[in-house]
Amino acid sequence: MKVKIVRFIKQEAVLCAALALAAVSMVFVRPDAGYLGYIDFRTLAILFCLMGVMAGLQKTGLFQWVAQTFLSRVRRAWQLSLALVLLCFFSSMFITNDVALITFVPFTLTVLGLAGEKIKARLLIPTVVLQTIAANLGSMLTPIGNPQNLYLYGKSGMTVAQFTGLMLPYAAVSLVILAAWSLLQARTYKAPVQVSFSEEPKLSEKPLRLAAYAALFCVNLLAVVRAVPWPAALGVTVLGLLLADKTIFCHIDYSLLLTFVGFFIFIGNMGRLPEFESLLQQIVSGNEVLAGVAASQVISNVPAALLLSGFTENFSALTVGVNLGGLGTLIASMASLISYKLVVRRENGIGGTYLRYFTLANVSFLGVLLLFFWVFG
C-alpha cells in the first residue's frame, strides 16, 4: 500500500501539490457556499470535452494518416527533420501540445528507425527535443492549444482574434528559429533518405465515427468562441462519445481536471485573505511576464497560470509569460515530460544526453523570445 502511494505521488506530483495547497488553505478559510464560486466550470467542461474528442480522433488513425502522407515525399535528412518538427508545431494549435507529442514522438522514433541507424543516431535526440519545443510554442497561438490558454482566454474575455493577435508575433519568431535549428542539425547528412512504411496510410474503417468526432470538435470550437453555451456543448459531447465509443472516457486526463479544481480552491481561499492577496498582487502586478516565466520553471506553466491569475488583471501579459515559461526546465511544461518518458522508455541509456540537449535548446529559445519581448513586447 505504501509503495502504491509513493508511486502515485511521483506520477501525479502536480495534482498532489494542488490538492495539498487546497487542503492547507481550507484551514484558513473554512468550506462554505462561496467555494462553488471558485470553480471555473466552463473551462473544466470544455477541457473535458476537447480531451475526449482528441482521444477519439487519435483512435481513428487520423493523425497517423496525416503524418505518413506528409512524409511520403521526404528525400533528404533536412526535409525529414523539418517535417517532423513542423507536424508538432502546427498540429498542437488544434489538437493540444500533449496530444501532438503523444501522437508524433512515438511515430518519429519509428520513422527514424526505418530511415536507418546512422540517421537515427544523429537526429533522434535533436528532433524529439525540437518537436517538444515546437508543440509548446505552436500551441500558444490558439485558445485551445493548451490548458492554460483555454483558462486564460475564458477569464480574460478576449476574442479569438485578440488572443491570436497577442501570441502571433511570438509564434512567428518561434517558427523561424525552429526551422533554422532543424535545418542546421541535419545539414551535414548528405545521403538520400528513404522512409518506407510497412503499410499504406489509411483512416479508420468506420468513417461515420470519424465524422462524428469531427462534428463534436466543431461543437466545442463554437463553445470556445462562446457561440454555443458550454453546458450544451458538454451534453452533446458526452452523448456523442457514449454513442461512438464508451472506452474514450478511459483516455481522458482526469488528474489534470482535478489539478485545476485544487488550484481553483487554493486561489479562491487565498483571495479571501487580504494580507496574502496584497502581497502577491505587489509581486505579480507589472511583472506578469517574468512572474509567469519564473513560476513555470518550478511548478510548470498550467499551475503557474492558475495561481498567478488570481492576483492580476493583466491577463494578456500573464498569457505571454506562462506560454514562454513552458520553455526552460523539464517540468516547465508537463508536455515536455511526455517526450522525455517516451524516449527513455524506447531508447536505453540516452536520458542524460537528452536532458543536456533539451536544456541547451530550451534555454536558447527562451532567451531569444524574452529578448524579443523586451524589445518589441
Side-chain angles (χ1 to χ4, degrees):
M1 184 66 176
K2 183 179 179 181
V3 174
K4 290 182 179 180
I5 294 174
V6 172
R7 187 185 301 122
F8 177 81
I9 292 173
K10 288 182 177 179
Q11 291 176 342
E12 302 291 350
V14 177
L15 169 61
C16 292
L19 296 180
L21 288 172
V24 170
S25 71
M26 290 179 181
V27 175
F28 300 97
V29 180
R30 296 297 176 86
D32 57 24
Y35 271 49
L36 284 177
Y38 300 162
I39 311 299
D40 187 342
F41 291 103
R42 178 181 182 275
T43 295
L44 293 177
I46 295 176
L47 185 57
F48 170 85
C49 292
L50 287 172
M51 287 193 291
V53 173
M54 286 302 111
L57 286 172
Q58 192 172 25
K59 287 188 70 174
T60 66
L62 173 64
F63 306 142
Q64 292 282 347
W65 176 81
V66 170
Q68 285 188 229
T69 303
F70 192 41
L71 292 177
S72 62
R73 300 181 183 277
V74 165
R75 296 294 179 269
R76 297 289 177 183
W78 68 265
Q79 294 174 328
L80 178 61
S81 176
L82 185 61
L84 290 169
V85 171
L86 293 184
L87 272 173
C88 287
F89 183 80
F90 288 107
S91 67
S92 66
M93 298 176 185
F94 306 101
I95 68 174
T96 76
N97 52 350
D98 289 357
V99 174
L101 293 174
I102 290 171
T103 301
F104 294 124
V105 169
F107 176 78
T108 295
L109 298 177
T110 300
V111 167
L112 291 178
L114 293 172
E117 286 302 316
K118 287 185 178 180
I119 193 168
K120 179 181 177 181
R122 184 170 299 184
L123 292 185
L124 189 148
I125 290 177
T127 299
V128 174
V129 167
L130 286 183
Q131 283 184 308
T132 305
I133 294 173
N136 285 328
L137 293 178
S139 65
M140 69 181 174
L141 183 62
T142 66
I144 62 171
N146 52 55
Q148 72 267 16
N149 278 5
L150 183 61
Y151 168 67
L152 290 172
Y153 167 78
K155 194 170 181 65
S156 67
M158 285 188 279
T159 64
V160 173
Q162 289 171 333
F163 189 98
T164 304
L166 170 69
M167 300 309 303
L168 181 59
Y170 302 97
V173 172
S174 300
L175 179 59
V176 172
I177 307 172
L178 282 165
W181 197 307
S182 297
L183 295 175
L184 286 172
Q185 75 180 8
R187 73 187 187 284
T188 58
Y189 195 92
K190 304 296 184 182
V193 173
Q194 182 70 44
V195 181
S196 300
F197 296 98
S198 57
E199 296 181 0
E200 289 295 319
K202 61 180 180 180
L203 289 174
S204 171
E205 296 176 356
K206 298 181 179 180
L208 288 179
R209 185 172 293 180
L210 175 59
Y213 292 136
L216 291 176
F217 181 62
C218 292
V219 169
N220 283 285
L221 285 182
L222 292 174
V224 170
V225 300
R226 304 180 181 90
V228 170
W230 68 260
L234 176 62
V236 170
T237 301
V238 170
L239 179 61
L241 293 178
L242 284 171
L243 293 174
D245 186 354
K246 296 183 181 66
T247 64
I248 292 300
F249 292 100
C250 298
H251 298 277
I252 293 174
D253 189 354
Y254 296 102
S255 66
L256 178 60
L257 299 175
L258 284 174
T259 299
F260 268 71
V261 173
F263 276 108
F264 284 147
I265 293 173
F266 174 71
I267 295 164
N269 282 338
M270 292 300 98
R272 291 167 69 174
L273 300 176
E275 299 82 1
F276 185 86
E277 181 183 29
S278 177
L279 175 62
L280 270 186
Q281 283 180 341
Q282 290 177 19
I283 295 172
V284 177
S285 183
N287 302 298
E288 286 84 0
V289 172
L290 292 180
V293 170
S296 297
Q297 304 310 302
V298 182
I299 62 174
S300 87
N301 53 2
V302 173
L306 297 174
L307 176 62
L308 300 180
S309 66
F311 307 99
T312 180
E313 296 297 323
N314 191 348
F315 298 116
S316 296
L318 183 58
T319 299
V320 173
V322 294
N323 276 290
L324 299 188
L327 301 168
T329 64
L330 187 63
I331 64 169
S333 169
M334 289 294 106
S336 299
L337 285 171
I338 293 173
S339 299
Y340 175 74
K341 290 178 180 178
L342 290 171
V343 168
V344 297
R345 285 174 185 170
R346 288 272 297 267
E347 307 293 329
N348 294 326
I350 68 169
T353 305
Y354 181 93
L355 282 175
R356 287 191 292 272
Y357 193 95
F358 176 91
T359 303
L360 171 64
N362 270 262
V363 170
S364 299
F365 272 80
L366 180 58
V368 172
L369 289 171
L370 281 177
L371 179 62
F372 178 81
F373 164 74
W374 283 323
V375 174
F376 300 104

